[in-house]
Amino acid sequence: RMTYYSLMFSLAVSDLVTIIAFILYYTFPHWVDHHTLLEYPICSYAIILAYPILHTSQLIDIYLTISLSIERYFAICRPLTHRVRKLPAFYYIIPIISLSLMYTLPIYFEYHIIPFPLEKFLNKTITPEFVSNTTVYIIRDTKLTQNYLYKTIYRTGGKLVFKCIVPYILLITSNLLILRALCH
């Protein structure tokens, strides 16, 4: 029972990280004044870091859900061997987190921040008045995102395989096996 609850707890934490990263990446730039967003590097770094964390935690979510389904399969379809050979939760959690981080590692290098010096002016009716010098922080794509093979193989094909095809096959298979065991 502890394995199942540990997996559920890990899934809840991963879901929470996904939600926070989603909010930081997609809504934070719309909540904050555009000038504030550009002038404080912490804002740019929060956005640039939220993007890969979002992808990593989504992948962890997917495979933790699959591990829960596999754990339920063994508990329902193989109850005697499941009690004797019960795997601890970290046998699921550590490989899922490690493989998710390894798979999403290139995403951490898709963007970078460029500091850009800028002069601030107070806009008056006819002649603008100089206020101060400042630096704005602009988020730009790296050359990695411009690479054709990276875009087609990793971004499109990899996501299709590792976030769609493999998870659905594993979930459908384990759930069909559970249904078959319950109906017999």
Side-chain angles (χ1 to χ4, degrees):
R1 291 180 58 172
M2 289 302 294
T3 300
Y4 183 77
Y5 294 118
S6 297
L7 289 173
M8 286 296 289
F9 178 78
S10 300
L11 182 61
V13 169
S14 180
D15 285 342
L16 193 62
V17 170
T18 302
I19 291 167
I20 292 169
F22 184 88
I23 289 169
L24 279 175
Y25 185 71
Y26 288 107
T27 60
F28 183 67
H30 300 290
W31 290 347
V32 179
D33 177 28
H34 185 67
H35 298 291
T36 304
L37 188 66
L38 288 173
E39 289 182 19
Y40 294 100
I42 189 78
C43 297
S44 298
Y45 283 108
I47 293 168
I48 204 171
L49 193 59
Y51 178 72
I53 288 174
L54 174 64
H55 284 281
T56 304
S57 61
Q58 282 177 341
L59 201 60
I60 291 170
D61 283 346
I62 290 167
Y63 285 97
L64 280 174
T65 303
I66 292 168
S67 68
L68 281 167
S69 179
I70 292 170
E71 179 68 20
R72 288 300 89 198
Y73 164 75
F74 284 117
I76 292 169
C77 298
R78 308 264 192 260
L80 297 177
T81 57
H82 179 65
R83 288 184 186 151
V84 173
R85 296 183 189 170
K86 190 173 197 171
L87 290 175
F90 67 86
Y91 275 56
Y92 293 105
I93 297 169
I94 300 298
I96 288 172
I97 292 173
S98 301
L99 292 173
S100 296
L101 283 169
M102 286 187 337
Y103 175 76
T104 58
L105 187 63
I107 296 173
Y108 286 82
F109 301 102
E110 285 186 2
Y111 298 103
H112 67 283
I113 296 175
I114 299 173
F116 187 75
L118 192 67
E119 295 177 344
K120 281 180 142 179
F121 287 92
L122 181 63
N123 195 3
K124 291 191 173 185
T125 54
I126 297 174
T127 59
E129 181 181 319
F130 176 78
V131 177
S132 67
N133 287 329
T134 188
T135 302
V136 293
Y137 299 89
I138 302 168
I139 299 172
R140 293 283 183 233
D141 293 345
T142 60
K143 291 181 181 180
L144 182 64
T145 57
Q146 306 304 319
N147 187 320
Y148 176 76
L149 289 175
Y150 178 79
K151 287 193 295 190
T152 54
I153 294 173
Y154 179 77
R155 276 190 164 178
T156 307
K159 285 181 184 178
L160 178 68
V161 171
F162 293 109
K163 285 189 171 182
C164 187
I165 294 173
V166 170
Y168 278 122
I169 289 172
L170 291 172
L171 278 175
I172 290 169
T173 303
S174 64
N175 287 321
L176 285 176
L177 291 171
I178 291 170
L179 285 173
R180 188 179 83 184
L182 291 174
C183 292
H184 287 249

